[in-house]
Amino acid sequence: MKDVKLKIELLPKGAWGNDFSKTLPKKDWDVLRKFCYDKANHKCAICGFETDDLDAHEVWDFNIETRTQTLKNIIAICSRCHGVIHIRNSQRLGFGENAKKHFMKVNNCNEFEFAKHLAKAQIEFEERNKVYRWKIVANLEKFGGKNIEIKESYLPLIESEYNENEINLLKNECGFTPRILDISINNYEGTISITCDKTNKIEWYDDELNLLETKFNFSEKFNTRFSVKNSHCSYLMFKLTGEYGEKISKKFNLISYE
């Protein structure tokens, strides 16, 4: 397919939440937004639609070999073009057909060419999902952000000492002590989700037995999630406490992703 003005961009899972609109303080993001709006002259940078209701969109380039995402531009675009770029979200909200029509209009193409472009974006998305952590490369001064500091958080990978067979055995345990029903790890987000019952509270500890977090349960089944963001210890453990006893977990090892 010919090169297109309006592209579908499926952000890889490891980059969700990396955009500066979410990670920068609001006052700093507002500086970047205003800079791109001032350049826009009330027009969408992609389709040229005139409006005062523009969105600031970050254009990223992803390099799988170096595991870097590089900020190429911040542009002011209309909501219709933004809906095409993030078409999965448009489809989820019921505006997928509108996004498809706008893509074809702006790029002067047919439905087959749209489907081909979407399929290519999906292939790139799956390939980039092999990377759990992306290193951000950006020169914000180019986009009006002189002296804005970029702070990247530390997010280690999680490796559980539990295997699937152990979890199946745990959830079938009898008795009145706390019971683990499921353990789920999301290494894109850096979270550990625990489902249990017969439990009044869960406590998380680091490798030096420092108490990191306590959550209380007031229902029959307890669903809770713990984030390892900025955790610099070598492993974590949790303790479940119920009316008739306690249960100590195995280790969740934290591995630096270089």
Side-chain angles (χ1 to χ4, degrees):
M1 181 181 174
K2 62 186 180 183
D3 195 27
V4 295
K5 291 194 298 183
L6 177 56
K7 299 179 181 180
I8 295 170
E9 301 173 12
L10 303 181
L11 281 177
K13 294 179 181 179
W16 291 358
N18 280 358
D19 42 316
F20 289 125
S21 63
K22 295 178 181 176
T23 60
L24 287 178
K26 183 180 182 303
K27 64 178 180 62
D28 290 340
W29 174 241
D30 285 345
V31 170
L32 301 178
R33 286 196 310 134
K34 186 177 184 303
F35 185 82
C36 83
Y37 292 156
D38 288 344
K39 292 193 303 180
N41 195 27
H42 311 285
K43 290 183 180 180
C44 174
I46 296 177
C47 73
F49 178 68
E50 292 193 22
T51 176
D52 288 324
D53 187 21
L54 294 169
D55 299 332
H57 172 65
E58 299 163 54
V59 182
W60 294 94
D61 178 67
F62 293 91
N63 187 313
I64 294 177
E65 290 185 3
T66 60
R67 300 199 295 267
T68 55
Q69 61 174 105
T70 303
L71 184 67
K72 307 299 288 186
N73 207 349
I74 301 177
I75 58 175
I77 59 175
C78 68
S79 59
R80 289 180 297 180
C81 285
H82 218 173
V84 172
I85 290 170
H86 302 299
I87 196 167
R88 292 303 188 206
N89 192 49
S90 296
Q91 292 171 333
R92 181 178 62 83
L93 296 173
F95 300 109
E97 190 65 23
N98 291 342
K100 180 176 74 173
K101 290 178 180 177
H102 189 64
F103 176 94
M104 292 189 294
K105 178 182 177 181
V106 173
N107 293 314
N108 190 26
C109 67
N110 57 37
E111 194 163 347
F112 173 77
E113 290 172 311
F114 163 79
K116 187 176 179 181
H117 182 82
L118 179 58
K120 181 176 181 294
Q122 183 65 37
I123 291 171
E124 289 180 342
F125 173 73
E126 297 296 343
E127 188 68 19
R128 291 167 179 171
N129 281 342
K130 295 176 182 178
V131 177
Y132 284 109
R133 304 284 182 271
W134 295 92
K135 180 175 177 56
I136 294 175
V137 178
N139 179 5
L140 296 185
E141 187 172 350
K142 290 170 53 179
F143 312 110
K146 186 177 181 180
N147 299 324
I148 291 179
E149 185 180 357
I150 300 172
K151 294 181 179 179
E152 288 193 66
S153 58
Y154 174 68
L155 196 62
L157 290 177
I158 308 162
E159 185 180 79
S160 173
E161 291 191 348
Y162 287 100
N163 59 48
E164 190 173 341
N165 289 334
E166 286 179 288
I167 295 173
N168 287 332
L169 289 173
L170 288 171
K171 69 182 180 182
N172 289 315
E173 283 184 345
C174 299
F176 298 99
T177 58
R179 179 174 59 168
I180 297 171
L181 301 176
D182 189 44
I183 297 173
S184 176
I185 292 173
N186 186 327
N187 263 317
Y188 294 110
E189 295 180 355
T191 57
I192 308 169
S193 296
I194 308 296
T195 302
C196 52
D197 63 3
K198 305 171 187 175
T199 302
N200 296 332
K201 69 176 178 179
I202 182 171
E203 297 169 301
W204 284 93
Y205 294 89
D206 64 14
D207 51 5
E208 295 183 351
L209 297 182
N210 296 309
L211 178 62
L212 303 177
E213 181 179 275
T214 302
K215 288 186 178 179
F216 295 92
N217 178 43
F218 301 99
S219 60
E220 183 175 344
K221 186 179 287 188
F222 191 15
N223 295 297
T224 181
R225 185 170 64 170
F226 182 83
S227 172
V228 302
K229 184 177 180 180
N230 294 324
S231 294
H232 293 274
C233 55
S234 60
Y235 65 84
L236 300 165
M237 298 172 67
F238 65 81
K239 180 173 75 172
L240 304 179
T241 302
E243 291 184 18
Y244 299 100
E246 299 177 341
K247 176 165 289 181
I248 306 295
S249 75
K250 287 189 171 185
K251 296 177 182 178
F252 295 86
N253 297 307
L254 302 186
I255 304 163
S256 177
Y257 191 73
E258 299 295 343

